[in-house]
Each structure stands twice: as structure tokens, then as C-alpha cells.
């Protein structure tokens, strides 16, 4: 017995962003969402980005927290010029610098059994984009 197809349980509209958008725009989108679909100009799925992707993996720093901390550093701690330059460099990061282009995805006509299998095989994911 089949559980049906992805199209039978597909939910509405999700936030989307382009790969070349900057970090400020991304933070704005993720402020009220746990994830965001990354799409190109033709609405083709390019990847997925979650709030967890905003961790600088090598040093385990959460970027929004770092930005808030850095913006509030006293001027005597670091020169305004250096501070502004560093903030600008960070804010100019692009979505494509953080997104996961190898995200698991399913197609609209795929059986729900496949979706359940993907969730079972990848317990760390909470969303699977439908393309």
C-alpha cells in the first residue's frame, strides 16, 4: 500500500533568496525563518541554507552574534577604520558562501516512502526541498 506522493502533502510557499545576495539580506530572511531555499533567476533550486549554516565552521562562531559583538566593541579596543573595514567584509559575504549546494531534495511526483527514507537516513535534517 502506497502512502501517496509528495504532491499530496506539499506545503505552501517558503522563503527564497538568490546566491549573490549579501549576508545582511540573508540575516533578514532568517530572522523569522529556520531555513531558506536558494534559487537562481529562473527559480531553479540551487541549495538550502539554515540558521545552523551561519556558524563559521572552522572557529565555531555564530555570525549574527559575532556581528552584534563586534559592532558594540568600544572604539578604544579597535580603531574605527579597522572595525568598519572588518564589518563591511563580513557583511559582504554572499549566500553562496554559506549555502549547502548538496542538499537532499525530492521531486513532486516522488512517493512519500522515499521522503520518509531520506528523513530516516539523515536524522539531522528537518526539511527536504521539493523541486
Amino acid at each position: 500500500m502506497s502512502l501517496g506522493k509528495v504532491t499530496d502533502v506539499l506545503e505552501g510557499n517558503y522563503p527564497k533568496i538568490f546566491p549573490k545576495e549579501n549576508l545582511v539580506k540573508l540575516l533578514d530572511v532568517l530572522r523569522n525563518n529556520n531555513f531558506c531555499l536558494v534559487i537562481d533567476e529562473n527559480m531553479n533550486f540551487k541549495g538550502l541554507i539554515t540558521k545552523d549554516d551561519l556558524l563559521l565552521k572552522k572557529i565555531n562562531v555564530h555570525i549574527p552574534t559575532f556581528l552584534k559583538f563586534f559592532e558594540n566593541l568600544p572604539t578604544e579596543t579597535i580603531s574605527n577604520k579597522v572595525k568598519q573595514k572588518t564589518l563591511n567584509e563580513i557583511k559582504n559575504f554572499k549566500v553562496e558562501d554559506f549555502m549547502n549546494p548538496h542538499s537532499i531534495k525530492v521531486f513532486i511526483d516522488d512517493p512519500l516512502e522515499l521522503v520518509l527514507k531520506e528523513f530516516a537516513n539523515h536524522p539531522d535534517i528537518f526539511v527536504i526541498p521539493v523541486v
Side-chain angles (χ1 to χ4, degrees):
M1 182 171 103
S2 172
L3 295 175
K5 295 188 179 214
V6 169
T7 189
D8 298 332
V9 295
L10 189 60
E11 291 186 10
N13 227 354
Y14 293 106
K16 299 170 189 71
I17 197 165
F18 297 110
K20 298 290 183 193
E21 295 277 5
N22 65 29
L23 181 60
V24 175
K25 172 74 173 171
L26 176 62
L27 293 176
D28 188 48
V29 171
L30 289 178
R31 180 175 291 120
N32 298 314
N33 301 285
N34 290 322
F35 69 94
C36 184
L37 303 177
V38 182
I39 58 167
D40 66 15
E41 319 66 58
N42 299 317
M43 301 294 288
N44 294 316
F45 176 77
K46 292 297 179 187
L48 181 73
I49 190 159
T50 68
K51 286 184 176 179
D52 287 344
D53 292 326
L54 293 179
L55 290 172
L56 287 176
K57 305 294 186 216
K58 292 181 182 174
I59 56 174
N60 203 25
V61 172
H62 186 244
I63 291 173
T65 304
F66 174 78
L67 282 174
K68 200 168 280 187
F69 166 79
F70 199 78
E71 286 172 341
N72 293 322
L73 271 179
T75 307
E76 53 278 1
T77 307
I78 188 169
S79 77
N80 272 340
K81 188 176 179 180
V82 171
K83 182 177 172 181
Q84 196 56 50
K85 181 179 184 269
T86 305
L87 281 172
N88 287 339
E89 287 173 4
I90 293 168
K91 288 178 180 180
N92 285 326
F93 279 127
K94 304 293 181 214
V95 168
E96 62 193 359
D97 297 326
F98 297 96
M99 73 180 203
N100 179 0
H102 306 293
S103 175
I104 297 166
K105 58 187 172 276
V106 295
F107 297 91
I108 199 160
D109 289 327
D110 282 344
L112 283 176
E113 290 85 358
L114 174 65
V115 176
L116 294 174
K117 184 189 248 183
E118 292 292 358
F119 276 121
N121 290 335
H122 303 90
D124 55 325
I125 64 171
F126 63 91
V127 63
I128 299 177
V130 178
V131 297

